[in-house]
Amino acid sequence: MNKQGRCPLTTSQIIDEYFIENRTRILDVAAYLDRLLRSANSQPAGEDFRMQAFEQALHILSSTEPNKVDHIQLVFSDPTTELKAHLDTKSASGAWNPVPEVR
Amino acid sequence: MYYIEMHGHMVSRTTDDYREMAMAGCVAVSEPAFWAGWDRQSADSFDDYFRQLTDFEPKRASQFFIRHVSWLCLNPKEGEDRRLTAEVLKRIPKFLDRPNVVGIGEIGMNRVTRNEVDTFIDHIRLALDYNQMILIHTPHLEDKYKGTRVTIDNLVKFQNLDPNRVLIDHAEEHTVGMILEHGFYTGLTLYPNTKVSLARAVDMIEKYGPDRITISSACDWGPSVPTAVPQLMLEMRRRGHSEELIRKLVFENPLKFLMQSGKFELPRLDIHATVSHTAP
Ligand SMILES: [Zn+2]
């Protein structure tokens, strides 16, 4: 499968078009992380499996490797293929929990 | 530019939404059966829903010269209930020869349980028995990768299944490749906050090429934008893509896919002329 298709815009055109909206997104992520540090109970966010995946995603973001979005998608994904014996919850939580709580 | 909305849960939308979509160029909507946001209590409730999808909605759409087609099933969010599934599956065949029914869908998994897979397989068998096309939902968020893999693993076991008549929807960066590699159609569904954005959808089109990719808003009762497909057209123009490429994605690909049902036609004569050139 060809995954090397190029964007028709040049590098500077891409920056001109998309820089400001992505600058805003980075500020939103920064503010979210700051908000966690200001939480009412000061509980470390890193104890939550979702934030552990988030941390890994941030590492991929700051690397120079290509296909960052594919790799980050996999960081948040359940890598197994074993079928669940029963429905645990109706809705997904956004990150895979390697140690699911007993419900 | 004319476009086809490949995945819209119009029962949850207003008549004003139909008008907005029509004004933005929408000429057809394909509506898969879906979860109401709460569990239905009996198979009778599905009967009423199927009547709404096959009688009331096509009339509502036709006021705006939009052709409405629908897909019937018990949706993945309720697929865990095997008893209800058996009841609903018995009732689907009597709706299949309604003029706007193009297939079985959107079936698939939610949390990828054993029962969900069994329900999925029952629907595939029903579709094959009645020579119906198939529209498949893939789970969201952390379940998407696993759910898509399990979906494809189960589909390939059916040797008499033509992948060209199956659309595996809600593809994202980590699943679009495996869907296309197996010869299925796929769909990129544009959500305002939580899933695929306009920019990422165009990135995937650039990476994988336009063949067998369709675009939709997947608008329903949750946060969603019924005119997301025309928004994607604008995003593609912003990137400098040709009108020809845009038209292929938003009109020709879904048209080619839906025409395989043998029941799909467009509501106005000038568009009909276009169909004869692009039909397979
Ligand atoms: Zn849907």
Side-chain angles (χ1 to χ4, degrees), chain A residues 71-90:
Chain A
H71 291 158
I72 291 176
Q73 285 277 25
L74 293 177
V75 161
F76 288 122
S77 295
D78 181 346
T80 70
T81 50
E82 201 187 327
L83 305 182
K84 287 189 170 74
H86 302 286
L87 187 68
D88 51 351
T89 166
K90 210 88 162 171

Side-chain angles (χ1 to χ4, degrees), chain A residues 1-3 5 8 17-18 21 73 76-80 82 84 87-90 92-94, chain B residues 39 77 80 110-114 116 142 146 149 172-174 200 206-208 235 238-239 241:
Chain A
M1 194 55 48
N2 170 33
K3 293 180 65 189
E17 275 295 321
Y18 289 98
E21 62 193 52
Q73 285 277 25
F76 288 122
S77 295
D78 181 346
T80 70
E82 201 187 327
K84 287 189 170 74
L87 187 68
D88 51 351
T89 166
K90 210 88 162 171
S93 56
Chain B
D39 290 346
K77 289 264 194 191
E80 185 70 8
N110 177 35
R111 291 288 285 171
V112 203
T113 69
R114 287 178 201 158
E116 287 171 8
E142 75 268 25
K146 174 179 184 171
R149 290 203 292 167
E172 293 190 16
E173 291 86 353
H174 52 326
R200 281 173 46 217
E206 289 168 354
K207 285 184 189 171
Y208 289 90
E235 184 73 19
R238 186 184 178 197
R239 298 265 180 109
H241 288 297

Side-chain angles (χ1 to χ4, degrees), chain B residues 7 9 32 34 106 170:
Chain B
H7 190 144
H9 298 292
F34 188 46
E106 58 182 308
H170 309 304

Side-chain angles (χ1 to χ4, degrees), chain A residues 32-72:
Chain A
Y32 168 58
L33 296 174
D34 286 346
R35 197 175 310 135
L36 285 166
L37 295 173
R38 295 189 292 106
S39 73
N41 64 354
S42 307
Q43 188 190 338
E47 291 171 3
D48 189 297
F49 70 95
R50 292 168 292 186
M51 287 310 295
Q52 288 162 10
F54 202 91
E55 193 70 37
Q56 283 183 57
L58 289 176
H59 281 291
I60 295 171
L61 262 193
S62 53
S63 76
T64 52
E65 60 170 321
N67 301 321
K68 291 184 185 54
V69 65
D70 306 42
H71 291 158
I72 291 176

Side-chain angles (χ1 to χ4, degrees), chain B residues 7-9 32-35 106 135 137 140 169-170 189 191 218-220:
Chain B
H7 190 144
H9 298 292
F34 188 46
W35 189 48
E106 58 182 308
L135 179 62
H137 165 97
H140 295 301
D169 219 341
H170 309 304
T189 46
Y191 289 86
C219 60
D220 57 18

